[in-house]
Amino acid sequence: MRVIFNVPPYIGEEDKYIKEVIEARKICGDGAFTRKCNEKLEKITGTKKALMTTSGTSALEMAALLSDIQPGDEVIMPSYTFVSTANAFVLRGAKIVFVDIRPDTMNIDEKLIEAAITDKTKAIVPVHYAGVACEMDTICDIAKRRNLIVVEDAAQGVMSFYKGRALGAIGDFGCYSFHETKNYSMGEGGAVLVNREDCVERAEIIREKGTNRSRFIRGQVDKYTWVDIGSSYLQSELNCAYLYAQIENPDIINENRLASWNLYYDLLKELKDNGVIELPVIPEGCEHNAHMFYIKTKDIEERTALTAFLRENGVTAVFHYIPLHSSPAGLEFGRFFGEDKYTTKESERLLRMPMYYGLRENEIAYVCEKIKEFYQK
């Protein structure tokens, strides 16, 4: 049997909606499907304003602009994240301050954040790894007391919740990704969630190349012009049509992925109970979206051997990020605060299993069978 790592989601209505866009002769952004996606995300999350963007990266860049990040500012985030999390703020001239992660969730250790704050700190960027929430009550309390901005990197967190609140809609700004590896996909795409009323209009301006075109479309001005900095973050209507087919009823994908995640966990629990591997931890109050299923091996050598064994048996399993603080750019644009107790060590143990909408039960059973076979040997 061959089990590949990822298959982009496809519900079946995507073709129909894309055809509607083509027939309407409106394929650039801010058409009917763009608005439908914006409104659906607002309904799911309860955010003040959701705006579709060209990627999760551009959503983060918009959040950095909305946060008014200036050269010399410091931004606190975990090192265990994708490069876009840091790049968005480095592009504004900020210095990145990396903080160690928690070994249970792979999220930023909220207990280490306050000590990393200086008089230059402007924002905290929690990353909800695998769609499992960071400890947002603590992070938001720190930010409120220290007058800091919170930008949630919820790229993996669509349909995940923290104490009943949607990830991305808790801090000042939230960022989603709809890349083809995500639970809901438009190939390349994202969304920025604006949770502050005073920033909604500026978000529309930044997204429209610094113009007040959104007000013009609504008939609030008789012509539009350049009023602020911005860029072309507007997503294609074709992409939004593809995505809307999936988020129109998001439970279809969500329930399917959760069933796969639970089956993985049940089949591998014996190895966990025997201390052979570790499985994901979902803290109380966190409702995750089964974005990924991973195991943790003893060390990097064991992970390398297991990865090769699975590959020989037709299973594609992959590891994730190389910690940013150890990369050439991370050394140039950032610094690690405190001790790297878990970031590197835990990242070298983590191995992601195949996970996608439509993954069959017999495929999951085969993957788990091969993992058990590896450890029996």
Side-chain angles (χ1 to χ4, degrees), residues 44-49 124 126 128 131-141 143-144 148-154 157 160-176 192-196 285-287:
I44 291 170
T45 65
T47 189
K48 297 278 193 301
K49 190 70 176 178
I124 304 169
H128 303 298
V132 178
C134 298
E135 182 46 57
M136 291 305 294
D137 281 351
T138 300
I139 292 169
C140 289
D141 175 67
K144 185 176 180 180
L148 301 175
I149 293 165
V150 175
V151 176
E152 294 176 77
D153 184 338
S160 287
F161 299 85
Y162 170 80
K163 298 183 179 179
R165 293 174 289 172
L167 302 193
I170 303 169
D172 297 279
F173 310 106
C175 304
Y176 285 159
V192 62
L193 306 187
V194 184
N195 305 316
R196 288 172 42 180
C286 296
E287 182 180 341

Side-chain angles (χ1 to χ4, degrees), residues 270-343:
E270 183 181 358
L271 289 180
K272 168 188 171 291
D273 291 344
N274 291 333
V276 177
I277 61 173
E278 291 180 24
L279 297 181
V281 174
I282 311 298
E284 186 177 352
C286 296
E287 182 180 341
H288 73 107
N289 62 356
H291 172 65
M292 72 174 75
F293 190 91
Y294 62 80
I295 68 171
K296 285 184 180 178
T297 62
K298 181 178 67 175
D299 51 33
I300 192 170
E301 289 77 20
E302 185 175 283
R303 183 182 73 178
T304 301
L306 174 58
T307 304
F309 178 80
L310 291 174
R311 185 171 60 249
E312 290 166 4
N313 286 275
V315 177
T316 306
V318 303
F319 59 85
H320 218 170
Y321 320 120
I322 302 298
L324 295 183
H325 75 278
S326 59
S327 67
L331 293 168
E332 180 178 355
F333 300 118
R335 59 182 172 84
F336 198 97
F337 172 81
E339 179 188 358
D340 174 8
K341 187 175 180 181
Y342 295 113
T343 300

Side-chain angles (χ1 to χ4, degrees), residues 147-337:
N147 194 29
L148 301 175
I149 293 165
V150 175
V151 176
E152 294 176 77
D153 184 338
Q156 302 172 359
V158 181
M159 290 296 290
S160 287
F161 299 85
Y162 170 80
K163 298 183 179 179
R165 293 174 289 172
L167 302 193
I170 303 169
D172 297 279
F173 310 106
C175 304
Y176 285 159
S177 171
F178 298 109
H179 183 264
E180 73 164 32
T181 58
K182 300 303 190 291
N183 295 28
Y184 306 90
S185 175
M186 58 193 346
E188 289 283 358
V192 62
L193 306 187
V194 184
N195 305 316
R196 288 172 42 180
E197 192 71 53
D198 63 325
C199 292
V200 169
E201 184 176 338
R202 187 163 190 240
E204 292 179 330
I205 290 169
I206 288 171
R207 178 169 166 262
E208 277 283 14
K209 310 160 195 71
T211 73
N212 58 354
R213 183 172 178 271
S214 294
R215 296 193 68 200
F216 171 73
I217 292 172
R218 292 193 293 264
Q220 295 171 326
V221 292
D222 59 358
K223 56 187 176 183
Y224 72 91
T225 187
W226 183 22
V227 296
D228 201 346
I229 58 173
S231 190
S232 185
Y233 295 124
L234 192 62
Q235 181 55 274
S236 161
E237 184 73 353
L238 290 165
N239 293 59
C240 289
Y242 191 95
L243 176 69
Y244 187 68
Q246 298 161 30
I247 65 171
E248 186 176 23
N249 185 359
D251 288 338
I252 293 173
I253 288 176
N254 199 46
E255 290 173 3
N256 178 268
R257 293 183 70 110
L258 284 167
S260 294
W261 194 98
N262 289 331
L263 182 57
Y264 266 125
Y265 196 97
D266 291 343
L267 293 175
L268 294 173
K269 187 174 183 297
E270 183 181 358
L271 289 180
K272 168 188 171 291
D273 291 344
N274 291 333
V276 177
I277 61 173
E278 291 180 24
L279 297 181
V281 174
I282 311 298
E284 186 177 352
C286 296
E287 182 180 341
H288 73 107
N289 62 356
H291 172 65
M292 72 174 75
F293 190 91
Y294 62 80
I295 68 171
K296 285 184 180 178
T297 62
K298 181 178 67 175
D299 51 33
I300 192 170
E301 289 77 20
E302 185 175 283
R303 183 182 73 178
T304 301
L306 174 58
T307 304
F309 178 80
L310 291 174
R311 185 171 60 249
E312 290 166 4
N313 286 275
V315 177
T316 306
V318 303
F319 59 85
H320 218 170
Y321 320 120
I322 302 298
L324 295 183
H325 75 278
S326 59
S327 67
L331 293 168
E332 180 178 355
F333 300 118
R335 59 182 172 84
F336 198 97
F337 172 81

